[in-house]
Amino acid sequence: MANHKGLISDVDLRSRENNSAHHTREIDQKRLIVRRGQPFSITLQCNGSLRPRHHLDLVLHLGKRDEVEIKVQKERGAGDKWWFNQQGAQDEMLLTLHSPADAIIGRYSLAVLLMSPDGRILEKKDKMSFHLLYNPWCKDDVVYLPDETQLQEYIMNEDGIIYMGTWEYIKSTHWNYGQFEDYVMDICFEVLNNSNDALRNSQMDIEQRFDPVYVSRIIAAMVNSNDDRGVLTGRWTEPYSDGVAPYQWTGSVPILRQWSKAGVRAVKYGQCWVFAAVACTVLRCLGIPTRLITNFSSAHDVDGNPSIDFLLDENLQPLESRGGRDSSWNFHCWVESWMRRDDLPKGNDGWQVLDPTPQELSNGVFRCGPCPVTAIKEGNLGVKYDAPFVFAEVNADIIHWIVQRNGQRRKIRVDHATVGRNISTKSVYGDFRDDVTLHYKYPEGSKKEREVYEKAGRRVTDVPSESSEPGRLQLSIKHAKPVFGTDFDVIIEVKNEGDQDAHVQLTMLAMAVTYSSLHRGNCQRQTTTVMVPAHKAQQEVLRLRYDDYAQCVSDDHLIRVKAFVEAPGENEPLLTVTDIPLSRPEVFIQVPGRAFVCEQVKASISFTNPLPVPLKGGVFTLEGAGLLSSTKIHVSGDISPGQTVSIVVSFSPMRTGVRKLLVDFDSDRLKDVKGVTTVVVRKKYRNIFPEITECY
């Protein structure tokens, strides 16, 4: 480089102004973070004016080893090229850079070159960088979402609600996505950089990152650790002692930070809602509108036959099927991401299913999607990616069989309507549930639904029954909403609609299960003979005591009750099944007074032991985006029955706005007890600065 007196004395990336204009101020105000398809400006401080016939060049690099180089054009050209224009005034020059709407996302290095008339580099300023994200505010970006209310929820909101439980008894739990917390964006790119694709061919991987279909597919694979350097290891049964139990997490940020800090080693442990929530954090951070979905009574089909077969022995105990691992979960969580699908025919744009929970392989990798929600509703199962699997999750039939001693199967129940119930997501208008079932399927039993099933090639295993006429007996299960730690009754009702009295054998079985339908042990079993008068109903009571279920109930606090009736003259036995969630207490939180950014506030937190036994090893876990990082506080000593424990926690909010403080309590006998409160953090005004909205 020729010896030349420096023209450029300093470069101001104008991070604060640019970040505000690009909706990235929440991520950082010191580093430059912008969105593609939208111009941004930088300022050069100069020692004099640019000499005649001299000019500036801008060069961009991507990748740890500058694998991708982009020369920025000096004038507007084709829409798929970077270009810049400049304005000079005295000792300052304003450069405005324009990125294409399909630019590669990532960390860019920027070099400003002063060029001589004969093309020699006279001066170079190159120790500058910025991050470029997807831009759902830009009409030309394939992730463009025209509804500002939805953008505020699906990009900007760091707090979420996850729906769990059963389709009849839906409960909600709050989650801290925290996509704008310190260094989360850097970790999101670290996730991309550690994918198998990136490690095999870094340059090819970087060049594909313009495409949200490609990137979201990478994220779906990398959130689980089954076949790569992924973030989370899944585990669906105890023990969790060498990690964190899935129900203890209340946010994505501690998981992502732990993964990065440990040298990209998988964090233990996650289950479906944790996988989905972490994926939601990463995708929102990168600029892809994303929401978390819960599908109640979600089927897991492994053999391509859209029916889920449950095999029972003659004692109603579940048997392992030799033909596969079909199952039905009380609920299953995935995410939907919004994007235009240029790789598919028209009609497949919009919300796309992405599932990072490691269930089945997709192109040799544990991941699912993106799959258009519209394709699932219309039965277009030939589109990419994994449409048949998603279709079965919301549409499969459930068939119960009894396997007799001679090995013969006896079909006792076919359920066409249970799978895919009350598909839920958080509303954009507040902390309540939106039902999106009709986005996935036409109304149950409608003509259009049947047409879709035929189009999708849905076939149910045909086992001839002895009669197609309905039986005269009906069987149902009724119960109140029981509380964990109490005794409660389950009512089994046999109704006789025939003209003659019926003498039936009634078997009632209560067992502990996980939300993914894993059997944990029997709680109670009764078999009795019942006489049901004609046109009458007879009720039997199954009493469940805390001592009966406490030793075997899972951390999901679910009791599955089966009732089975056989009667002379009935063509087929009757079976009905219901899952009973046991409700838990809440953690109570109070934050008195007004909260200001960077000023200490106190939160009072209390919990009362509702069980008839002491609790040992109690621990509170707190976190909240913009409030405080994940913090654990251990309770000293046992917590006696009925005893209330209280703690006071001080913290200084880091960012303004409406924030959520989340608290989880766990102990040896009672786990996954949650609490949440809203904290409004206000700006702080001082004489020197107009306002302070963030702590540094």
Side-chain angles (χ1 to χ4, degrees):
M1 186 181 298
N3 185 18
H4 182 85
K5 182 181 179 181
L7 172 73
I8 305 169
S9 60
D10 195 17
V11 179
D12 180 5
L13 296 181
R14 301 166 63 93
S15 299
R16 191 179 185 89
E17 299 93 327
N18 285 318
N19 292 5
S20 293
H22 286 250
H23 305 93
T24 60
R25 183 179 176 181
E26 287 286 315
I27 302 177
D28 205 325
Q29 295 189 46
K30 293 183 177 180
R31 295 185 294 169
L32 178 59
I33 304 167
V34 291
R35 299 188 185 274
R36 65 185 192 176
Q38 182 176 341
F40 62 96
S41 299
I42 65 174
T43 302
L44 307 185
Q45 301 294 333
C46 303
N47 298 314
S49 301
L50 190 64
R51 296 172 61 185
R53 299 177 59 200
H54 289 64
H55 66 273
L56 297 176
D57 276 352
L58 301 184
V59 179
L60 304 173
H61 288 96
L62 280 155
K64 289 183 177 180
R65 294 175 293 277
D66 294 341
E67 290 93 335
V68 178
E69 180 179 278
I70 300 171
K71 293 184 178 179
V72 184
Q73 298 178 166
K74 298 181 186 63
E75 58 185 27
R76 185 168 190 171
D80 61 347
K81 303 293 184 183
W82 282 81
W83 64 282
F84 77 98
N85 61 294
Q86 62 189 64
Q87 296 173 287
Q90 299 174 351
D91 59 352
E92 194 171 86
M93 193 175 299
L94 184 71
L95 306 184
T96 301
L97 286 78
H98 303 259
S99 62
D102 63 349
I104 299 168
I105 65 162
R107 181 183 181 275
Y108 284 76
S109 297
L110 168 63
V112 180
L113 309 179
L114 176 62
M115 308 299 294
S116 69
D118 59 358
R120 290 179 295 115
I121 299 175
L122 301 177
E123 189 176 340
K124 182 178 182 180
K125 289 283 186 181
D126 60 354
K127 297 188 181 302
M128 298 168 289
S129 66
F130 64 91
H131 286 83
L132 189 74
L133 306 177
Y134 294 112
N135 192 352
W137 284 269
C138 174
K139 291 183 178 180
D140 295 325
D141 197 319
V142 294
V143 300
Y144 172 63
L145 184 59
D147 188 321
E148 182 61 31
T149 302
Q150 291 187 341
L151 285 168
Q152 289 303 311
E153 180 68 34
Y154 302 139
I155 291 290
M156 302 301 294
N157 196 353
E158 294 182 85
D159 299 306
I161 293 178
I162 302 173
Y163 295 98
M164 308 167 82
T166 69
W167 71 269
E168 296 174 290
Y169 299 95
I170 298 174
K171 71 170 188 174
S172 61
T173 187
H174 287 258
W175 190 269
N176 172 29
Y177 293 123
Q179 65 268 28
F180 303 141
E181 291 285 85
D182 289 347
Y183 304 109
V184 167
M185 181 193 68
D186 304 85
I187 298 172
C188 293
F189 282 109
E190 190 177 9
V191 171
L192 290 177
N193 293 338
N194 279 278
S195 72
N196 288 338
D197 292 57
L199 297 174
R200 276 193 298 265
N201 190 324
S202 178
Q203 180 175 342
M204 185 178 296
D205 170 71
I206 291 171
E207 290 173 345
Q208 291 296 313
R209 293 186 188 177
F210 74 92
D211 181 8
V213 174
Y214 174 83
V215 167
S216 62
R217 197 153 164 78
I218 293 292
I219 296 303
M222 280 296 294
V223 168
N224 72 74
S225 64
N226 279 43
D227 36 32
D228 48 31
R229 299 182 179 182
V231 175
L232 269 168
T233 296
R235 192 178 182 101
W236 278 263
T237 57
E238 300 94 338
Y240 304 115
S241 55
D242 59 338
V244 176
Y247 53 79
Q248 283 187 276
W249 300 112
T250 54
S252 306
V253 178
I255 297 170
L256 290 166
R257 286 178 175 166
Q258 183 177 328
W259 173 81
S260 177
K261 186 177 181 180
V264 302
R265 289 172 54 189
V267 177
K268 300 175 181 179
Y269 290 101
Q271 291 177 10
C272 71
W273 71 92
V274 187
F275 288 112
V278 171
C280 189
T281 295
V282 175
L283 292 162
R284 284 187 184 183
C285 185
L286 296 177
I288 302 176
T290 301
R291 61 188 186 183
L292 195 144
I293 299 291
T294 301
N295 177 39
F296 288 96
S297 294
S298 187
H300 180 181
D301 175 52
V302 299
D303 55 14
N305 172 20
S307 66
I308 304 301
D309 298 302
F310 288 145
L311 306 183
L312 307 174
D313 65 18
E314 292 178 324
N315 294 317
L316 303 185
Q317 299 294 336
L319 296 173
E320 289 294 330
S321 170
R322 295 178 182 177
R325 296 175 289 109
D326 284 358
S327 61
S328 176
W329 296 11
N330 285 92
F331 69 91
H332 180 56
C333 296
W334 57 69
V335 297
E336 289 177 359
S337 291
W338 180 272
M339 63 188 74
R340 188 172 72 238
R341 290 293 297 269
D342 292 339
D343 60 324
L344 295 179
K346 288 184 178 180
N348 290 296
D349 297 338
W351 291 114
Q352 312 285 319
V353 172
L354 280 162
D355 192 347
T357 300
Q359 297 184 91
E360 300 298 324
L361 295 172
S362 174
N363 290 357
V365 178
F366 279 101
R367 60 186 168 190
C368 178
C371 173
V373 174
T374 54
I376 300 306
K377 183 171 184 176
E378 300 299 333
N380 298 326
L381 305 191
V383 303
K384 297 184 290 188
Y385 293 88
D386 310 307
F389 182 79
V390 179
F391 184 85
E393 285 186 298
V394 299
N395 285 303
D397 290 337
I398 294 180
I399 306 177
H400 287 84
W401 310 77
I402 283 186
V403 180
Q404 298 171 331
R405 288 187 177 90
N406 61 7
Q408 293 294 313
R409 294 186 185 185
R410 187 181 183 189
K411 185 174 69 172
I412 57 173
R413 186 184 185 203
V414 178
D415 191 338
H416 300 290
T418 294
V419 167
R421 302 289 289 270
N422 293 342
I423 304 175
S424 304
T425 192
K426 178 187 176 299
S427 172
V428 299
Y429 300 109
D431 291 348
F432 50 88
R433 187 180 71 90
D434 271 354
D435 193 300
V436 295
T437 307
L438 293 181
H439 294 189
Y440 283 83
K441 55 204 296 189
Y442 287 96
E444 200 74 45
S446 66
K447 179 181 178 182
K448 188 65 177 177
E449 182 203 36
R450 291 191 295 272
E451 291 174 356
V452 168
Y453 288 168
E454 292 176 3
K455 181 179 180 181
R458 180 184 182 188
R459 295 289 182 270
V460 176
T461 305
D462 185 20
V463 178
S465 59
E466 299 174 26
S467 172
S468 60
E469 296 182 4
R472 59 186 176 127
L473 298 179
Q474 294 183 1
L475 183 61
S476 62
I477 299 174
K478 301 176 182 179
H479 61 89
K481 192 174 182 180
V483 175
F484 181 71
T486 63
D487 302 342
F488 63 96
D489 292 334
V490 179
I491 309 298
I492 289 83
E493 182 178 274
V494 184
K495 188 175 183 181
N496 182 4
E497 295 186 340
D499 296 326
Q500 297 180 351
D501 295 349
H503 294 269
V504 305
Q505 180 172 290
L506 172 62
T507 300
M508 300 169 286
L509 174 64
M511 59 178 64
V513 295
T514 68
Y515 86 100
S516 56
S517 293
L518 294 176
H519 180 219
R520 293 292 309 274
N522 293 342
C523 305
Q524 184 68 272
R525 179 188 179 91
Q526 289 180 205
T527 299
T528 183
T529 300
V530 180
M531 194 280 285
V532 188
H535 304 290
K536 298 286 185 178
Q538 184 71 27
Q539 293 184 342
E540 293 292 323
V541 177
L542 182 66
R543 181 74 168 169
L544 290 175
R545 295 177 173 82
Y546 172 71
D547 291 341
D548 295 330
Y549 65 76
Q551 299 304 317
C552 62
V553 71
S554 75
D555 296 325
D556 299 314
H557 295 83
L558 278 172
I559 301 295
R560 176 166 294 169
V561 175
K562 299 177 181 179
F564 181 69
V565 161
E566 287 188 291
E570 287 294 305
N571 295 320
E572 292 182 348
L574 296 178
L575 173 71
T576 190
V577 182
T578 193
D579 288 330
I580 304 174
L582 307 177
S583 63
R584 280 153 284 179
E586 294 183 11
V587 173
F588 292 97
I589 312 168
Q590 287 186 317
V591 182
R594 305 177 81 186
F596 293 92
V597 69
C598 305
E599 291 190 356
Q600 190 177 90
V601 297
K602 292 184 178 180
S604 299
I605 300 166
S606 63
F607 162 77
T608 301
N609 177 12
L611 301 187
V613 294
L615 302 179
K616 302 177 184 296
V619 58
F620 292 95
T621 304
L622 301 78
E623 72 171 293
L627 295 177
L628 78 166
S629 299
S630 181
T631 303
K632 289 186 181 296
I633 299 175
H634 293 268
V635 177
S636 60
D638 296 351
I639 306 172
S640 302
Q643 180 185 348
T644 298
V645 291
S646 300
I647 60 171
V648 176
V649 180
S650 299
F651 60 92
S652 298
M654 298 169 284
R655 289 183 282 139
T656 58
V658 179
R659 305 290 172 184
K660 290 284 198 305
L661 176 61
L662 310 183
V663 179
D664 169 81
F665 174 82
D666 297 289
S667 65
D668 62 335
R669 290 178 175 265
L670 186 59
K671 302 176 175 65
D672 192 21
V673 181
K674 307 293 188 187
V676 60
T677 194
T678 299
V679 181
V680 179
V681 183
R682 295 167 172 83
K683 300 174 183 177
K684 182 169 60 174
Y685 294 90
R686 289 181 177 173
N687 295 330
I688 302 175
F689 303 104
E691 62 183 46
I692 296 176
T693 60
E694 183 173 349
C695 294
Y696 294 104

